[in-house]
Structure formats: structure tokens, C-alpha cells
Amino acid sequence: MTTTATENEKSAAWDLIGSLFWESGRTTAKPSDEEIGLFTDGIGAGAKCTVVGASTKDLVEALIARGAEVTVLDFSARMCDDLRAALPAGSCRVLRHDITRPAPEDLRGTQQFVLNDRLVNRFSDTEARRGVEGMLDLLADGGRLHTSIKLGLYPMDERMIAVGRERGCLERFYDADAKVVDFAAAGDVLTDALLPHGAIDSATLLRWYRGRGREQRFDHEDIVALLDAADVAGRSLALLSTTPFGQAPSTRMYTAEARPARQDG
């Protein structure tokens, strides 16, 4: 099992949820069949793939069904344990690893595909570039990153902002210039703006959101800049395409290719 030198403080929040995410959570929080088709297009038997985020069980199962060689990375011990228990024994590797850190040594530069669904939306403003560079670190030259991202605010963000503005406490938990929501600082605003997440009970939801802390929100231009800025030992990402999700029009899949370091002279 891969572990990080310093525990990511957000991992405890996901330890609260585990398999509840795919068993009891909101259906719209998971990729649809159409979206899974976009993620897996062009991936055949034997392809080396890493899925970042153990909550994306349906995507993992689709890749296994295609005969891909699948690794799953997640920073939450419970998410990893629950996914292992939910999948056939030996069907894929599930490793505990924080993607905002350098890739595990045996995976670095080996993967043909790295996939994640709305994972970037869980990053704080300080984690976003490190997370994307952790994905680049996994990819072989010419390998492809498929990452879906919800653009703009979530409905609950909008509810919290409206309540915070009404109560005069918006700046306590929302930085409009940086487009960062801090669930840990929202206090009663979070309680009063909480939206259901499938059948997960509200007490668990509140602890989950507060444990998630700071999360960045993005426009398209932010993502283009984020991918363009990625650099791992001179290696980079080149954006190839963006594809809207038909059932979630504010969400797009960004496909980027890993490029080798430039050789001077």
C-alpha cells in the first residue's frame, strides 16, 4: 500500500463516506453511461490506466470490463478498502496515495491513460496545480489525461453565497476573487444551505463538507491555464480537446496529452 509522508487533512472527510458515495449518494454526482463512454473511448484491452478517485466505481468497472490494466489511487483509507471489497478480487490495484504528491515510483511515467471525474473540483486553490502535476507524473510520454470538471458554482455554493450575503458573513467562507469556497469556515450557513446527497444522512453530510475545507471553483479559462502551467521535470501537458457532458452541460471533459521534456541544443 502506498502512503504519503504527510496525511492530507481532507482524507478524514472521505473516510466518513466510503462506499456510501456509490451506494447511497446522489446519482448526478457519478458519471452517466454516456459520460463513461466518453472517458473510455479508445481504451482497449491491456491499456495501462489509472483512475484517480476510488469513488468513481462505475468508471473503474467499465475499464475492467474492457480488459484494461487498471490502478486506482485515492488518499482515503476507507475509500480504498471499500472499493477493494466491492470489486472482484485481483481485478485491479487499489493504492492509497495523495495525487497532489509525486506519483508512486513504480507508476511514474508508465500510464497510457489517467482518468478522473470531477476530482479537480475537490482541490483547494493551493492543491490544483500540484494535483494536475501528480497526474502528469503518472503518464508516459504521449499518454492521455481525461479529466472532467464542473465549471462555475455548484447549486449548494449558490445557496450558501445567498445566505451568507443576506447575513453579512459571506467573506468568512467565500473569496469571490479567488473563487474559493471554505466549507470549514461556513458555520451555520452550511447547515442551513445543505442540500440532500441521495440517502446519506444530514449529520454525516455536514461532517463530510466541513472536512473537505477549501475548494476551488473554475471557469474554462482557469482550466486551460492550469493544464498549460503543469510541469514535471520539463514534461508538460498539451490540451487536445474539450467535450461537454450532454446530461451535465456545465461539466466538460478535458483531454490532454503528456509531452516529453524539450531537449536543448
Side-chain angles (χ1 to χ4, degrees):
M1 179 176 71
T2 302
T3 56
T4 53
T6 304
E7 184 98 346
N8 189 308
E9 62 183 14
K10 293 185 177 186
S11 63
W14 291 89
D15 285 342
L16 291 168
I17 294 294
S19 61
L20 290 175
F21 191 89
W22 60 77
E23 292 171 352
S24 305
R26 190 170 56 237
T27 302
T28 54
K30 299 176 284 187
S32 67
D33 290 344
E34 176 191 351
E35 292 160 4
I36 288 174
L38 290 172
F39 270 116
T40 59
D41 185 39
I43 299 178
K48 293 184 177 181
C49 303
T50 290
V51 176
V52 187
S55 63
T56 322
K57 174 174 169 283
D58 294 350
L59 176 56
V60 175
E61 290 176 326
L63 290 166
I64 292 170
R66 282 176 169 251
E69 183 181 320
V70 184
T71 299
V72 181
L73 303 180
D74 199 291
F75 66 0
S76 160
R78 180 180 172 188
M79 293 298 303
C80 290
D81 289 345
D82 286 1
L83 183 63
R84 286 191 198 99
L87 296 174
S91 59
C92 72
R93 295 174 72 194
V94 182
L95 303 177
R96 189 181 181 202
H97 175 76
D98 180 356
I99 197 62
T100 66
R101 298 182 179 277
E105 191 62 38
D106 66 322
L107 291 176
R108 182 170 292 161
T110 66
Q111 300 300 286
Q112 294 168 269
F113 297 91
V114 172
L115 310 95
N116 53 87
D117 181 48
R118 286 162 268 212
L119 176 76
V120 174
N121 295 108
R122 304 284 78 84
F123 291 151
S124 72
D125 46 327
T126 59
E127 291 172 325
R129 179 168 172 176
R130 286 186 286 135
V132 171
E133 289 180 339
M135 299 171 202
L136 169 59
D137 201 18
L138 290 163
L139 286 167
D141 291 343
R144 294 197 171 187
L145 171 64
H146 293 175
T147 181
S148 66
I149 297 164
K150 162 77 169 73
L151 301 176
L153 297 168
Y154 281 84
M156 203 172 83
D157 299 338
E158 294 171 340
R159 284 169 62 96
M160 290 172 60
I161 290 167
V163 173
R165 187 174 288 122
E166 179 183 326
R167 297 179 183 177
C169 62
L170 180 60
E171 292 182 357
R172 187 177 72 197
F173 64 86
Y174 180 60
D175 183 333
D177 293 330
K179 291 178 281 194
V180 171
V181 178
D182 188 346
F183 294 111
D188 290 343
V189 170
L190 176 61
T191 305
D192 296 338
L194 187 70
L195 288 173
H197 202 295
I200 301 174
D201 67 274
S202 58
T204 299
L205 277 183
L206 285 170
R207 291 174 64 200
W208 179 46
Y209 274 108
R210 290 193 173 111
R212 282 162 47 178
R214 294 170 65 87
E215 292 185 357
Q216 177 99 42
R217 299 297 179 247
F218 300 96
D219 295 326
H220 170 71
E221 293 74 17
D222 299 322
I223 301 304
V224 172
L226 187 62
L227 295 172
D228 187 59
D231 184 315
V232 176
R235 300 177 69 236
S236 60
L237 286 168
L239 180 62
L240 300 180
S241 64
T242 67
T243 308
F245 279 1
Q247 296 170 325
S250 61
T251 301
R252 298 186 192 179
M253 188 176 78
Y254 291 78
T255 299
E257 184 176 85
R259 297 287 171 84
R262 301 174 93 180
Q263 299 297 319
D264 294 332

